[in-house]
Amino acid sequence: MRVRAAMLLVSALTATSVPASAYQTAPNSAGNPSYRSVIRAVEPRVPGISARVLGHDNLVQLDNHSGRTLIVYGYSREPYARLLGDGTVQLNLRSPAFYLNEFRFGDQRVPSYADAKAPPQWRTMDHSGELLWHDHRIHAAKNGAPPAGTPRDSLLRRYLIPIRVGSRAGAIRGELYWLGGHSQASWPLFALPPLTLLVAMLALDSVRRARRRQRSALA
């Protein structure tokens, strides 16, 4: 049982582990283990540019070490993020996506200052050449479970995130899969932030050890 718990803990932490140097603007969640979101291609194919999903369906990790400027577009095709050729990572404060991406389902108010048609206002976040963000295009909507009877490991839909590399338009293309439901009791556990999950697991282990010591003392 302890081995299984440890494996679950390692799996949860690994699923959300991110490079220490990368800037992250996203919900600190392990994602939904009932789904799996997978990046299939980054177009155009340019050496030094790669993308993957972390935390089941939670984060997109985008790396740009190509020496070229890469722009990620938001939900209204406005510039959302910019990764410059020298590694500078910038976000557009006027992009509605800047605010929508702070919560898993984007169900918060977007300030009137955010205007997809306004000229970008770039803010430099770091110089790692890496960005992690929560993109609502890669996961199911709130209460968006597939119809009853949907087989496990089913492809639900394909998605794309528009980008531009230099002067070339392209996209991050991916697929969202339904892996099968988890119990309502297990979902909150996996949804915990990794640090909270670690503390909870250590506390549980400490309680179990204390009970064993008590039983040994009474024996």
Side-chain angles (χ1 to χ4, degrees), residues 11-13 15-16 27-33 54-59 104 187 189-194 197:
S11 175
L13 293 176
T16 54
N28 189 16
S29 165
N32 189 335
L54 303 178
H56 306 291
D57 62 352
N58 190 46
L59 302 175
R104 179 169 174 83
W187 162 237
L189 174 66
F190 282 94
L192 288 173
L197 178 62

XYZ file of all heavy atoms in Angstrom, residues 11-13 15-16 27-33 54-59 104 187 189-194 197:
201
model
N 4.058 10.126 -9.438
C 3.373 10.371 -10.702
C 2.759 11.759 -10.727
O 2.847 12.486 -11.720
C 2.278 9.327 -10.924
O 1.532 9.610 -12.076
N 2.125 12.151 -9.628
C 1.474 13.462 -9.578
C 2.485 14.585 -9.650
O 2.286 15.589 -10.334
C 0.651 13.586 -8.295
N 3.612 14.422 -8.948
C 4.627 15.462 -8.968
C 5.309 15.534 -10.313
O 5.610 16.615 -10.819
C 5.669 15.204 -7.865
C 5.146 15.330 -6.433
C 6.232 14.948 -5.446
C 4.654 16.745 -6.159
N 4.025 14.768 -13.175
C 3.094 15.281 -14.187
C 3.073 16.788 -14.234
O 2.752 17.389 -15.248
C 1.678 14.759 -13.895
N 3.432 17.442 -13.122
C 3.375 18.896 -13.095
C 4.744 19.518 -12.913
O 4.853 20.705 -12.694
C 2.459 19.369 -11.951
O 2.901 18.786 -10.722
C 1.024 18.956 -12.197
N -2.978 27.869 -13.763
C -3.435 27.291 -12.503
C -2.437 26.262 -11.993
O -1.918 25.466 -12.774
C -4.764 26.615 -12.882
C -5.181 27.270 -14.151
C -3.912 27.618 -14.862
N -2.157 26.301 -10.709
C -1.229 25.348 -10.118
C -1.998 24.081 -9.767
O -2.370 23.839 -8.638
C -0.572 25.948 -8.870
C 0.554 25.077 -8.361
O 1.051 24.209 -9.065
N 0.972 25.315 -7.142
N -2.265 23.261 -10.769
C -3.094 22.071 -10.614
C -2.432 20.900 -11.310
O -1.635 21.073 -12.233
C -4.484 22.330 -11.220
O -5.186 21.120 -11.393
N -2.766 19.710 -10.854
C -2.249 18.511 -11.515
C -3.090 18.142 -12.731
O -2.809 17.159 -13.400
C -2.216 17.350 -10.525
N -4.129 18.909 -13.033
C -4.976 18.592 -14.168
C -5.976 17.498 -13.827
O -6.086 17.045 -12.690
N -6.714 17.069 -14.842
C -7.755 16.053 -14.660
C -7.245 14.705 -15.174
O -7.027 14.546 -16.374
C -9.013 16.461 -15.430
C -10.202 15.576 -15.104
O -10.046 14.429 -14.691
N -11.397 16.096 -15.279
N -7.056 13.725 -14.286
C -6.502 12.442 -14.708
C -7.434 11.618 -15.580
O -7.035 10.568 -16.082
C -6.217 11.729 -13.378
C -7.171 12.347 -12.410
C -7.303 13.782 -12.825
N 1.835 19.200 -19.903
C 2.152 18.708 -18.569
C 0.870 18.616 -17.742
O -0.064 19.389 -17.953
C 3.139 19.645 -17.869
C 4.472 19.920 -18.558
C 5.297 20.908 -17.733
C 5.254 18.629 -18.776
N 0.844 17.692 -16.801
C -0.294 17.588 -15.900
C -1.574 17.154 -16.570
O -2.617 17.798 -16.420
N -1.509 16.058 -17.341
C -2.683 15.477 -17.997
C -3.255 16.403 -19.081
O -3.190 16.092 -20.258
C -3.775 15.127 -16.975
C -3.312 14.259 -15.864
N -2.956 12.933 -16.041
C -3.113 14.515 -14.545
C -2.577 12.418 -14.883
N -2.657 13.353 -13.958
N -3.859 17.518 -18.657
C -4.480 18.444 -19.601
C -4.359 19.877 -19.091
O -5.215 20.716 -19.360
C -5.963 18.089 -19.804
C -6.773 18.193 -18.509
O -6.165 18.383 -17.430
O -8.010 18.099 -18.565
N -3.286 20.135 -18.337
C -3.232 21.392 -17.591
C -2.347 22.468 -18.211
O -2.790 23.598 -18.391
C -2.758 21.120 -16.163
C -2.907 22.345 -15.281
O -3.938 22.999 -15.290
N -1.869 22.663 -14.533
N -1.115 22.139 -18.541
C -0.144 23.143 -18.969
C 0.424 22.832 -20.342
O 0.656 21.673 -20.673
C 1.033 23.222 -17.988
C 0.739 23.536 -16.529
C 2.035 23.445 -15.730
C 0.130 24.912 -16.390
N -8.471 27.772 -14.417
C -8.598 26.583 -15.248
C -9.708 26.701 -16.291
O -9.540 26.261 -17.427
C -8.823 25.345 -14.375
C -8.996 24.065 -15.203
C -8.943 22.824 -14.354
N -9.243 21.654 -15.160
C -8.371 20.999 -15.915
N -7.123 21.405 -15.973
N -8.729 19.946 -16.610
N -10.528 12.593 -7.619
C -10.271 13.782 -8.432
C -9.759 14.952 -7.597
O -8.772 15.581 -7.958
C -11.527 14.156 -9.206
C -11.547 15.553 -9.721
C -12.491 16.490 -9.457
C -10.607 16.191 -10.592
N -12.200 17.660 -10.110
C -11.047 17.502 -10.802
C -9.421 15.772 -11.190
C -10.361 18.406 -11.587
C -8.736 16.674 -11.986
C -9.198 17.974 -12.178
N -7.987 14.906 -4.991
C -6.617 14.608 -4.611
C -5.664 14.974 -5.727
O -4.656 15.658 -5.513
C -6.483 13.117 -4.269
C -5.050 12.629 -3.977
C -4.529 13.283 -2.708
C -5.026 11.102 -3.839
N -5.970 14.561 -6.954
C -5.090 14.862 -8.071
C -5.143 16.338 -8.450
O -4.221 16.837 -9.079
C -5.470 14.004 -9.281
C -4.961 12.601 -9.174
C -5.763 11.594 -8.657
C -3.674 12.286 -9.566
C -5.288 10.297 -8.557
C -3.198 10.993 -9.473
C -4.005 9.997 -8.971
N -6.230 17.030 -8.084
C -6.358 18.438 -8.424
C -5.574 19.339 -7.481
O -5.424 20.519 -7.727
C -7.824 18.855 -8.416
N -5.078 18.772 -6.379
C -4.326 19.576 -5.440
C -3.026 20.052 -6.067
O -2.421 19.354 -6.866
C -3.993 18.753 -4.188
C -5.135 18.437 -3.226
C -4.641 17.485 -2.156
C -5.675 19.709 -2.595
N -2.556 21.257 -5.695
C -1.223 21.665 -6.118
C -0.197 20.659 -5.625
O -0.366 20.052 -4.561
C -1.037 23.030 -5.425
C -2.427 23.513 -5.187
C -3.235 22.267 -4.912
N 0.907 20.443 -6.353
C 1.884 19.423 -5.968
C 2.407 19.568 -4.548
O 2.539 18.576 -3.841
C 2.998 19.632 -7.004
C 2.323 20.204 -8.188
C 1.224 21.068 -7.638
N -0.243 18.481 -2.160
C -0.363 17.030 -2.232
C 0.763 16.353 -1.458
O 0.535 15.397 -0.722
C -0.332 16.584 -3.698
C -0.402 15.079 -3.956
C -1.712 14.514 -3.422
C -0.269 14.804 -5.443
